[in-house]
Amino acid sequence: MEHRLTSAIETALGWNGAQELGNGFVRGTIDDPELLTRVLTPNRMLDIVMRRSLNRPQFRAFQRGDEVHPAVYFTDSVSPRGQSIPMVDMRRLGGLLREGATLILDQANVFDPTMEVACRALQWWAHERVQVNAYLTTNDASGFPLHWDDHDVIVVQLAGEKQWEVRGTSRAVPMYRDADPNYTPSQDIVWAGVMQPGDVMHIPRGHWHQATRDGRGAGNSLHVTFGITKRTGASWLAWLGDWCRENEIFRHDLDRWHGTGSEALTEAAARLVRERPPGEFLDAHGQEATPTRHVPFLGIFGPLDSVVCASHFPPQIIENDEDVVVLALGKKLTFAAKALPALRLLLSGRPVHLAHAATVAGAEVTEVAEILVEEQICAPLIPELSLGYTGLVTSEAS
């Protein structure tokens, strides 16, 4: 999927692909103001918050470095029948913002189609799962204290300015579940400065960092962080733990009293390691079976006229002499060889308008699209989802 934001990030950081992820701190600038406002604005973030029932920790507010109790800015919206739904009280939230506060919306991609499409494009690019958090800070509020993340982060400053400090690691590649809590910040300052609209930086896992508007006076800052969690050796071993259940020897109880069978168990474990190498684990991760969230296609609402590939990662298309095999979301689908042009189009990650696509890829494109939608590899391109692609991903018709 060719996405305008992904291309801009690559260019800004001087990268040629995702192989540089995690390799070192780097900064750059996106020279495209229109792209920044297209991704997200402060008012659009507040509109997202206003229209949804959110709970901590998905939505949080901070003042003077401390988290504001949700009771301060949440209220219960009660229906005439007495049904209660927790909603953000926008008047109270506005008061916090006037005083100076930092608002954090975790997983904005769950609520906003533009954020959803941007994360999917980055997932196709990195072949790893991605989520995006949005941070809105007003006046001279501070944000999180000095901390580190257990995943690589790409930060994009969308509006206003914010002061940052980035330090090196105090433990090599720390993890969420680790043998060391890693509480002591590094004293090695890698970079300190102000992020302005369009600025981008890549903060590798474990680098300590903090951002604030403390002392900057009136104004605001909006930035998004794309968190990219890469697979590790520990992830591979956990995956092997699932595979070992196929072998009876691993399903037997461990004999605490006699200790027999330990040699055979060790040999079986070594054999499993050889038979299921890390490369196979990465391939399996790329065909993750979890379906994506999208509106289902129901013929009672109208015909299927536009679709888009909605898998977590790029589907694998395997060409054979007499057929074509598609691997995606843990499924294996086999099509006649003549379906190849339609499959390449439908699985490109670009919006596809079927009436036009038929003139490009043949009349069978609609039938193939219906199969892919039924298997949840493609999703109907309803107007709301289409907004996430408009101006950011070129359509098949273009």
Side-chain angles (χ1 to χ4, degrees):
M1 181 196 308
E2 295 181 6
H3 193 281
R4 189 175 163 193
L5 179 61
T6 304
S7 299
I9 289 173
E10 266 199 339
T11 301
L13 298 180
W15 289 354
N16 184 24
Q19 61 270 20
E20 296 299 326
L21 272 172
N23 286 349
F25 175 82
V26 63
R27 291 193 312 119
T29 301
I30 294 174
D31 188 19
D32 187 354
E34 181 185 343
L35 172 61
L36 305 180
T37 56
R38 176 67 186 85
V39 171
L40 189 67
T41 64
N43 282 329
R44 204 169 100 224
M45 176 178 167
L46 292 175
D47 188 75
I48 292 171
V49 169
M50 178 184 69
R51 297 183 186 281
R52 288 159 178 82
S53 179
L54 302 171
N55 287 294
R56 184 191 180 280
Q58 195 126 47
F59 180 68
R60 291 166 289 166
F62 287 77
Q63 275 191 325
R64 292 174 288 278
D66 296 322
E67 184 173 357
V68 180
H69 195 284
V72 173
Y73 57 93
F74 271 94
T75 187
D76 287 333
S77 176
V78 182
S79 74
R81 293 182 179 272
Q83 296 169 319
S84 178
I85 302 175
M87 300 290 289
V88 172
D89 185 318
M90 299 306 289
R91 181 185 63 80
R92 295 179 187 173
L93 190 69
L96 291 177
L97 293 173
R98 290 186 188 92
E99 294 170 6
T102 291
L103 307 183
I104 304 171
L105 177 62
D106 280 359
Q107 287 189 287
N109 46 294
V110 172
F111 307 107
D112 180 75
T114 301
M115 296 286 93
E116 174 193 336
V117 173
C119 283
R120 184 175 297 134
L122 283 166
Q123 286 183 172
W124 282 38
W125 172 72
H127 293 268
E128 301 286 0
R129 293 301 295 268
V130 179
Q131 80 167 51
V132 61
N133 299 340
Y135 299 80
L136 176 62
T137 301
T138 57
N139 298 329
D140 59 355
S142 57
F144 280 152
L146 197 62
H147 68 284
W148 58 271
D149 293 320
D150 64 348
H151 51 266
D152 299 322
V153 170
I154 293 177
V155 181
V156 182
Q157 185 74 22
L158 298 175
E161 299 179 347
K162 205 163 191 181
Q163 178 76 36
W164 282 77
E165 179 181 283
V166 181
R167 301 188 184 187
T169 61
S170 49
R171 173 173 170 78
V173 289
M175 304 180 70
Y176 174 68
R177 292 180 58 198
D178 206 337
D180 187 323
N182 193 31
Y183 290 144
T184 305
S186 166
Q187 298 303 307
D188 174 27
I189 297 179
V190 176
W191 178 76
V194 177
M195 290 281 283
Q196 298 180 335
D199 285 349
V200 182
M201 63 180 168
H202 167 243
I203 304 177
R205 168 164 54 120
H207 278 57
W208 293 81
H209 55 278
Q210 63 181 346
T212 182
R213 280 190 54 83
D214 189 22
R216 302 195 69 81
N220 73 88
S221 164
L222 174 65
H223 75 268
V224 289
T225 64
F226 293 95
I228 305 174
T229 304
K230 298 176 72 175
R231 305 303 93 195
T232 66
S235 307
W236 171 55
L237 289 178
W239 178 74
L240 288 177
D242 290 333
W243 273 107
C244 78
R245 293 172 177 84
E246 286 193 339
N247 192 331
E248 180 184 333
I249 193 173
F250 293 109
R251 301 199 302 271
H252 282 284
D253 298 338
L254 293 175
D255 192 336
R256 178 187 300 274
W257 310 110
H258 303 96
T260 58
S262 60
E263 184 177 344
L265 194 63
T266 302
E267 291 175 356
R271 187 165 55 251
L272 179 61
V273 167
R274 291 192 300 270
E275 292 173 350
R276 304 280 181 186
E280 183 176 336
F281 164 57
L282 292 175
D283 289 342
H285 173 67
Q287 298 302 325
E288 187 174 333
T290 309
T292 58
R293 298 170 63 250
H294 57 78
V295 174
F297 170 67
L298 298 172
I300 55 176
F301 296 150
L304 185 66
D305 55 11
S306 299
V307 301
V308 67
C309 184
S311 61
H312 295 296
F313 305 109
Q316 189 176 352
I317 301 176
I318 303 173
E319 302 177 43
N320 299 313
D321 292 336
E322 298 181 355
D323 57 34
V324 180
V325 174
V326 172
L327 303 177
L329 296 178
K331 300 177 180 181
K332 179 180 179 180
L333 306 180
T334 303
F335 296 86
K338 66 178 182 179
L340 181 58
L343 288 169
R344 284 178 172 164
L345 199 62
L346 294 167
L347 301 179
S348 67
R350 298 179 294 163
V352 177
H353 306 286
L354 298 178
H356 177 80
T359 66
V360 177
E364 61 268 18
V365 70
T366 298
E367 181 182 357
V368 175
E370 290 172 350
I371 295 171
L372 295 174
V373 168
E374 176 66 24
E375 297 294 338
Q376 297 186 305
I377 296 171
C378 285
L381 189 70
I382 63 172
E384 291 77 9
L385 177 57
S386 181
L387 287 175
Y389 291 89
T390 304
L392 295 172
V393 179
T394 57
S395 70
E396 160 274 328
S398 299

